[in-house]
């Protein structure tokens, strides 16, 4: 059955995948379905891609066309369809106007994930950023993002951080950082020292594993942008999504090929990284160096 409190994005994904699977089992094309139910082809495509939610009436029409008769399955999909239309804090006007659609979905997928793999070659990931560090990162985009947008995104980032790190039953978090991210003095010496100290503390949590790719492996890092793979089920590695960001743009990918490709890259980098103990030592050493420099100023 549907889990209590399930997020709209996860419910929408389950509905669209179930509908696509049911359609493919009939051998019908999307165009044939559109013709049979009197819809435009684009409507069928948007439902299956997850770009739009599906109403209860439209859901039942599709299930009837596909010959789905199992009462329990119909009930579950109907409930998931209802959940997919539910509004949460990230969909109120303030957030809807200032977060990207992909960011809003990411928040929902994070809340439902069993494991999250984050690769970032430049900065500490948002889920682990202190308020001062996060503000400094967002202020890099001053020319592209208004002050209001940056303020709302900072607030959303801190809510994500609390949701992720202050719960006892959150997902397993695995993070890979470039060693250069420890040396990049974002926000000044004191802000950076506080950020690294916080990062080292987070790294010692039992549900968090952080590894640093040393500089002599830097060529690998330079060829990839940041990405996150979120596992949404314990038993099916295909039940996952990919989040990618670049400057002020981002997107969610559902393609099995894309998710699998980035998962393999992550595992390759994971094996070539410092282990967790060595990583924590490196982070603490960098923080101590920054504090020493700050004290001399």
């Amino acid at each position: 059955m549907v889990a209590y409190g399930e997020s709209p994005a996860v419910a929408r994904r389950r509905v669209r995948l179930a509908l696509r699977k049911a359609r493919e089992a009939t051998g019908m094309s999307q165009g044939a379905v559109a013709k049979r139910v009197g819809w435009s082809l684009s409507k069928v495509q948007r439902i299956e891609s997850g770009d739009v939610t599906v109403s209860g009436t439209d859901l039942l029409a599709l299930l009837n066309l596909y010959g789905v008769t199992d009462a329990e399955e119909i009930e579950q999909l109907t409930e998931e369809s209802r959940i997919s239309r539910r509004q949460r804090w990230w969909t109120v006007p303030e957030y809807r106007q200032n977060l990207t659609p992909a960011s809003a979905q990411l928040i929902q997928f994070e809340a439902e994930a069993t494991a999250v793999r984050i690769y970032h070659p430049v900065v500490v990931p948002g889920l682990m950023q202190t308020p001062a560090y996060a503000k400094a990162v967002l202020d890099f985009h001053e020319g592209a993002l208004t002050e209001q947008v940056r303020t709302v995104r900072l607030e959303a980032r801190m809510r994500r951080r609390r949701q992720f790190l202050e719960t006892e039953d959150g997902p397993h978090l695995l993070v890979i950082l470039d060693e250069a991210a420890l040396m990049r003095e974002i926000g000044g010496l004191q802000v950076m020292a506080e950020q690294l100290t916080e990062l080292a503390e987070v790294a010692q949590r039992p549900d968090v594993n952080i590894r640093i790719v040393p500089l002599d492996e830097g060529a690998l890092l330079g060829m990839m942008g940041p990405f996150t793979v979120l596992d949404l089920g314990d038993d099916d590695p295909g039940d996952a999504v990919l989040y990618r960001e670049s400057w002020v743009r981002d997107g969610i990918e559902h393609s099995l090929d894309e998710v699998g490709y980035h998962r393999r890259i992550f595992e390759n980098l994971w094996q070539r990284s410092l282990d967790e103990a060595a990583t924590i030592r490196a982070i603490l050493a960098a923080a101590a160096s920054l504090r020493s420099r700050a004290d001399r100023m």
Side-chain angles (χ1 to χ4, degrees):
M1 295 299 291
V2 181
Y4 175 77
E6 183 172 61
S7 73
V10 173
R12 181 187 300 189
R13 182 173 185 272
R14 288 177 176 160
V15 170
R16 76 173 187 83
L17 292 177
L19 289 175
R20 187 180 69 186
K21 182 178 179 180
R23 175 184 61 78
E24 291 174 344
T26 69
M28 285 189 288
S29 66
Q30 291 178 327
V33 170
K35 186 174 181 180
R36 290 282 297 275
V37 295
W39 297 345
S40 66
L41 173 59
S42 63
K43 178 175 179 178
V44 178
Q45 292 173 331
R46 290 198 302 272
I47 288 173
E48 289 198 7
S49 66
D51 292 337
V52 297
T53 57
V54 58
S55 69
T57 301
D58 288 347
L59 173 67
L60 293 177
L62 290 173
L63 294 178
N64 181 63
L65 177 63
Y66 300 154
V68 177
T69 59
D70 182 85
E72 184 174 343
E73 181 178 3
I74 293 173
E75 179 184 1
Q76 179 160 341
L77 288 172
T78 299
E79 175 65 7
E80 287 178 330
S81 176
R82 184 188 65 79
I83 290 173
S84 72
R85 300 189 295 276
R86 181 185 298 163
Q87 298 295 299
R88 296 290 186 89
W89 67 262
W90 52 82
T91 58
V92 299
E94 181 181 11
Y95 290 98
R96 190 170 61 248
Q97 294 164 9
N98 295 290
L99 297 179
T100 66
S103 294
Q105 290 185 57
L106 174 66
I107 292 167
Q108 299 172 63
F109 285 129
E110 284 174 345
E112 300 293 334
T114 57
V116 177
R117 291 171 173 81
I118 301 174
Y119 161 80
H120 211 302
V122 180
V123 299
V124 174
L127 287 176
M128 299 177 168
Q129 292 177 3
T130 64
Y133 184 93
K135 184 179 185 302
V137 170
L138 287 167
D139 283 347
F140 283 152
H141 306 301
E142 184 176 1
L145 301 175
T146 67
E147 182 178 356
Q148 178 182 355
V149 171
R150 299 198 308 275
T151 298
V152 172
R153 292 189 181 184
L154 175 61
E155 180 182 337
R157 187 166 298 182
M158 293 302 100
R159 291 187 72 156
R160 286 174 57 214
R161 181 176 180 274
R162 290 195 298 272
Q163 175 177 285
F164 203 88
L165 295 178
E166 295 180 7
T167 57
E168 297 181 356
D169 58 348
H172 183 195
L173 180 62
L174 302 98
V175 178
I176 298 176
L177 291 174
D178 181 7
E179 186 177 3
L182 307 184
M183 306 173 185
R184 192 165 287 108
E185 297 170 11
I186 294 174
L189 295 177
Q190 192 61 42
V191 168
M192 191 65 195
E194 291 174 354
Q195 174 62 78
L196 293 181
T197 300
E198 170 75 7
L199 183 64
E201 291 178 1
V202 171
Q204 297 178 61
R205 290 171 51 119
D207 56 346
V208 175
N209 295 90
I210 301 176
R211 290 190 175 187
I212 296 293
V213 178
L215 290 176
D216 57 12
E217 298 282 3
L220 291 169
L221 291 160
M223 294 162 29
M224 288 296 298
F227 65 84
T228 302
V229 175
L230 302 102
D231 290 334
L232 303 176
D234 291 317
D235 302 322
D236 182 4
D239 190 9
V241 296
L242 170 70
Y243 173 78
R244 290 188 291 188
E245 57 180 329
S246 175
W247 192 234
V248 294
R249 297 182 178 182
D250 59 357
I252 295 284
E253 292 271 357
H254 298 273
S255 164
L256 291 177
D257 289 341
E258 283 297 313
V259 173
Y261 172 69
H262 285 79
R263 188 190 297 277
R264 290 191 295 274
I265 290 174
F266 187 94
E267 295 305 326
N268 181 24
L269 289 172
W270 188 259
Q271 297 304 318
R272 303 177 77 156
S273 302
L274 301 177
D275 66 25
E276 286 84 343
T279 291
I280 291 174
R281 290 195 296 271
I283 294 171
L284 289 174
S289 175
L290 288 167
R291 284 202 177 84
S292 176
R293 290 172 54 197
D295 291 341
R296 294 196 299 270
M297 294 181 66

